[in-house]
Amino acid sequence: MLRILLLGLAAWLSLSTAQAQPTRRAGQLTYCNPLNLDYGYTPIPDFAKAGRHRATADPVITLFKGEYYLFSTNQWGYWHSPDLYSWQFVARSFLKPEHKVYDDLCAPAVFVLGDTLLVFGSTHEKNFPIWMSTNPKANEWKEAVEPFQIGAWDPAFFLGDDGKLYLYWGSSNTLPLYGQQISRRTFQPIGQPKELIRLDDTKFGWQRFGEYLDNTFLDPFMEGAWMAKHNGRYYLQYGAPGTEFSGYADGVQVGDKPLGPFSPQPHNPFAYKPGGFARGAGHGNTFQDTWGNWWHLSTMVVSVKNNFERRLGLWPAGFDADGTLYSNTTFGDYPHYLPTSAADHLKSRFTGWMLLNYQKPVQVSSTLGGYLPNYAVDESIKTYWSAATGNPGEFIQTDLGAMSTVRAIQINYADQDAEFLGKQTGTFHQYRLWHSENGRKWKLLTDKSQNQTDVPHDYIELAEPVKTRFLKLENRHMPTGKFALSGLRVFGLGPGPAPAPVADLVVLRTEKDKRSAWLKWTAAPGAYAYNIYTGIAPDKLYSCIMVHGQSEYYFKGMDRDRPYYFSIEALNENGVSARSPVLTVK
């Protein structure tokens, strides 16, 4: 099987070094997570036993010569973009014939030295090179050093403003993160590796392993190191407790020197998204755009056909006046404004466009087994509807329930009976999107029947809003497998009132385990979901958890030694309620 994959890789590389991708429409202002990239399929046969599927994770974006470069796990290449939306894929294998592994740039380290971009992939061996390029857009690479003398899994390089280069690495549920200075001239290690930080799940509830943070069958993992510097302080970031879970998040410890000592920031984790359509915000990197705004790129969780089935998400981030690193994941998989200038990311970049078709009626052309139609509108990327075939003419129709103002649509394809292993080029989706006021007379809204791009999470921001009630997605071509959707998501504003504020929020935090609490509230009439805000001060409610269809939540992510503060708001297709008064819980 490895031989087959390598032959396929060679043939794929010979076809093209660049793959056409969706471009930002003139006047387009927004994007929506998960990012709409032409994700490769897992290249690992053992990971595809429950079905072949797209997968990547462990991303890094680096700004180089005015262009953004995005690398992530096992993509057999990388992307570049001028605007954080229009990503162009460049096909490139960084493995050499002597590397008998599947992992081509697993959890890559990417960094800039002067006029050169450098890349290094995870390995436990000392036989991988560091690659370098002064023109990565043209796919021109050579070895900077061969081999690199540190076997580092989940590596990250950091160039200090003192001109010194450092390497951070580690991925383990028993070992710490390590750091070491590296020679800028020879890329040889200087001194010995230094143990930097470890997890402490007895104190920090969010660090417990498992979907329910209960340390089921394994201890938590610490991985995905990343370093940033702000106002003279060093922010060592890391992912935990496991990439398979909704609570996968990025924490941070802060120090005055590149190799520490470090201590946990009070607000932790700083990147956290355990609720909503697509969950998880761990193992990523924090970078600045061309205007100096901070952003956090991270791994989002699917974990249906394999634990390591994942996607990528991009969040506004920054440092507050006290130097607290934060990442704003509120409405994190709804439409957000793209960067156009310097901005305050403590102020939301959410458009205010609400989800219009949550659990609304749907009609479909056919259904495959138990992949039921309403799974396309249940706000879970883990469930999906599948048509019986991938043929042209298969369709799904969604009823918004009333005439509404539609501003954008996100089409999230699911991998049902996909045939591919590894990265593919030359594949594409084609469809037509129709709308109707009455479900009988239809008008064409978007025609992508001639599209030649691979768009697994296609996002359409309408040039002008449309008043309508029904939308129909008609398949014209699938790149592989059945016509299947984990989410047909329609955004805009409904015609009715926003829900009333939530009453009677109660947070029960016992003496037995102060890492955990049981939240309860009175359901707001007309609300389909709630945003729970929590943080370490009344003016630092930086974490947000979206909860659908219930009026309770078990929150297990607290620091046992700190008081916490909570507020809640209700939402529906018409808008968002006022937040409840901030509640202090000791």
Side-chain angles (χ1 to χ4, degrees):
M1 181 60 74
L2 176 58
R3 182 182 178 187
I4 293 171
L5 284 172
L6 291 175
L7 288 172
L9 174 58
W12 162 80
L13 286 170
S14 70
L15 289 175
S16 174
T17 59
Q19 167 77 357
Q21 285 298 293
T23 56
R24 184 174 176 180
R25 176 187 54 79
Q28 181 170 341
L29 301 175
T30 64
Y31 75 100
C32 190
N33 289 318
L35 295 181
N36 184 31
L37 299 165
D38 57 326
Y39 300 96
Y41 294 76
T42 180
I44 305 173
D46 282 350
F47 284 11
K49 289 181 178 178
R52 298 183 180 188
H53 57 274
R54 297 178 189 264
T56 196
D58 322 318
V60 54
I61 287 179
T62 298
L63 184 60
F64 178 67
K65 295 184 178 180
E67 193 89 355
Y68 301 99
Y69 286 85
L70 167 55
F71 292 76
S72 64
T73 288
N74 285 342
Q75 294 302 288
W76 297 357
Y78 53 94
W79 296 269
H80 63 88
S81 170
D83 57 13
L84 293 176
Y85 185 89
S86 307
W87 293 101
Q88 183 82 17
F89 184 74
V90 178
R92 173 80 190 194
S93 175
F94 291 90
L95 292 180
K96 301 175 72 175
E98 60 267 28
H99 298 144
K100 307 299 183 183
V101 297
Y102 286 111
D103 290 317
D104 192 332
L105 286 191
C106 182
V110 185
F111 62 108
V112 176
L113 286 178
D115 67 348
T116 305
L117 186 69
L118 297 103
V119 177
F120 176 65
S122 294
T123 178
H124 290 301
E125 307 300 327
K126 297 181 180 181
N127 64 348
F128 272 37
I130 297 177
W131 296 89
M132 61 184 288
S133 176
T134 58
N135 191 9
K137 193 181 292 189
N139 201 10
E140 298 172 358
W141 294 88
K142 61 182 180 180
E143 297 166 6
V145 59
E146 162 66 27
F148 184 51
Q149 288 301 303
I150 298 179
W153 205 268
D154 287 9
F157 286 91
F158 171 74
L159 180 64
D161 48 21
D162 59 359
K164 295 180 180 179
L165 182 65
Y166 299 88
L167 174 67
Y168 304 88
W169 74 93
S171 177
S172 174
N173 66 344
T174 58
L175 301 174
L177 292 189
Y178 295 95
Q180 189 168 11
Q181 187 179 346
I182 304 295
S183 169
R184 280 189 60 177
R185 184 177 63 86
T186 66
F187 295 105
Q188 297 303 308
I190 297 173
Q192 296 297 315
K194 183 177 180 181
E195 180 178 319
L196 299 180
I197 60 175
R198 291 178 179 267
L199 296 180
D200 182 2
D201 59 303
T202 65
K203 175 175 168 61
F204 301 107
W206 71 274
Q207 294 180 1
R208 288 175 283 184
F209 191 81
E211 182 65 21
Y212 304 104
L213 300 179
D214 52 13
N215 281 342
T216 300
F217 88 88
L218 281 178
D219 291 330
F221 282 78
M222 171 181 268
E223 54 197 1
W226 182 260
M227 175 61 77
K229 186 180 182 182
H230 176 73
N231 283 351
R233 307 205 74 198
Y234 296 87
Y235 292 75
L236 179 57
Q237 300 153 57
Y238 59 92
T243 191
E244 307 94 326
F245 307 120
S246 299
Y248 194 42
D250 276 342
V252 60
Q253 295 203 20
V254 187
D256 295 324
K257 297 179 181 179
L259 295 178
F262 297 97
S263 58
Q265 175 180 272
H267 168 56
N268 254 310
F270 77 91
Y272 190 48
K273 191 184 181 301
F277 170 69
R279 303 179 178 187
H283 193 151
N285 85 304
T286 306
F287 67 96
Q288 288 179 281
D289 65 21
T290 55
W291 296 278
N293 304 308
W294 289 94
W295 295 82
H296 191 68
L297 176 71
S298 56
T299 303
M300 305 188 80
V301 177
V302 180
S303 296
V304 172
K305 292 181 172 62
N306 183 266
N307 288 353
F308 302 108
E309 183 182 7
R310 296 162 293 177
R311 299 291 192 270
L312 305 183
L314 179 66
W315 333 100
F319 299 85
D320 71 11
D322 299 322
T324 298
L325 173 61
Y326 65 89
S327 179
N328 191 340
T329 64
T330 304
F331 287 105
D333 48 38
Y334 280 43
H336 274 58
Y337 288 110
L338 288 160
T340 55
S341 62
D344 179 2
H345 281 178
L346 284 172
K347 297 177 181 178
S348 177
R349 299 192 67 83
F350 171 45
T351 58
W353 303 346
M354 305 306 295
L355 182 68
L356 299 178
N357 63 330
Y358 172 65
Q359 298 289 34
K360 296 291 179 68
V362 295
Q363 296 181 30
V364 297
S365 54
S366 65
T367 297
L368 178 70
Y371 299 102
L372 302 178
N374 272 78
Y375 288 157
V377 293
D378 69 352
E379 277 301 273
S380 173
I381 201 171
K382 290 178 176 288
T383 61
Y384 59 88
W385 160 75
S386 178
T389 75
N391 296 338
E394 295 277 20
F395 72 85
I396 180 170
Q397 174 182 318
T398 182
D399 178 359
L400 307 183
M403 289 289 291
S404 303
T405 302
V406 175
R407 302 296 301 264
I409 301 97
Q410 188 190 42
I411 301 168
N412 299 275
Y413 288 94
D415 295 316
Q416 179 60 36
D417 297 331
E419 299 173 347
F420 298 138
L421 279 175
K423 178 69 180 184
Q424 306 295 313
T425 60
T427 59
F428 53 90
H429 299 80
Q430 292 177 343
Y431 62 84
R432 293 190 183 106
L433 188 62
W434 305 81
H435 77 96
S436 172
E437 296 179 3
N438 55 22
R440 296 184 298 276
K441 185 178 179 180
W442 294 89
K443 298 177 182 179
L444 190 62
L445 184 63
T446 300
D447 187 353
K448 292 200 175 183
S449 58
Q450 302 302 313
N451 176 59
Q452 295 296 312
T453 59
D454 188 8
V455 287
H457 298 278
D458 208 11
Y459 173 69
I460 305 104
E461 177 190 329
L462 300 179
E464 297 292 337
V466 172
K467 292 260 188 192
T468 195
R469 174 171 172 172
F470 298 89
L471 289 99
K472 181 191 293 185
L473 179 66
E474 174 200 356
N475 180 52
R476 301 308 303 161
H477 174 79
M478 286 290 295
T480 184
K482 305 291 194 296
F483 180 50
L485 299 176
S486 62
L488 175 58
R489 308 175 73 217
V490 183
F491 296 100
L493 283 176
V502 176
D504 304 319
L505 175 63
V506 176
V507 181
L508 303 174
R509 187 183 190 188
T510 69
E511 294 295 329
K512 182 179 180 180
D513 185 354
K514 288 204 165 187
R515 299 171 297 176
S516 305
W518 183 16
L519 282 67
K520 296 175 66 68
W521 58 91
T522 300
Y528 66 57
Y530 302 88
N531 280 331
I532 300 168
Y533 294 90
T534 184
I536 49 102
D539 60 346
K540 295 182 189 291
L541 302 183
Y542 294 157
S543 295
C544 180
I545 306 163
M546 184 179 283
V547 177
H548 285 84
Q550 59 190 54
S551 56
E552 64 177 4
Y553 183 76
Y554 290 91
F555 177 52
K556 303 174 71 175
M558 291 184 286
D559 177 341
R560 72 178 182 214
D561 299 328
R562 289 187 176 276
Y564 274 76
Y565 301 83
F566 294 87
S567 181
I568 191 170
E569 65 189 11
L571 50 137
N572 64 15
E573 60 269 24
N574 308 310
V576 183
S577 75
R579 293 192 194 181
S580 68
V582 175
L583 183 65
T584 304
V585 179
K586 296 181 178 181

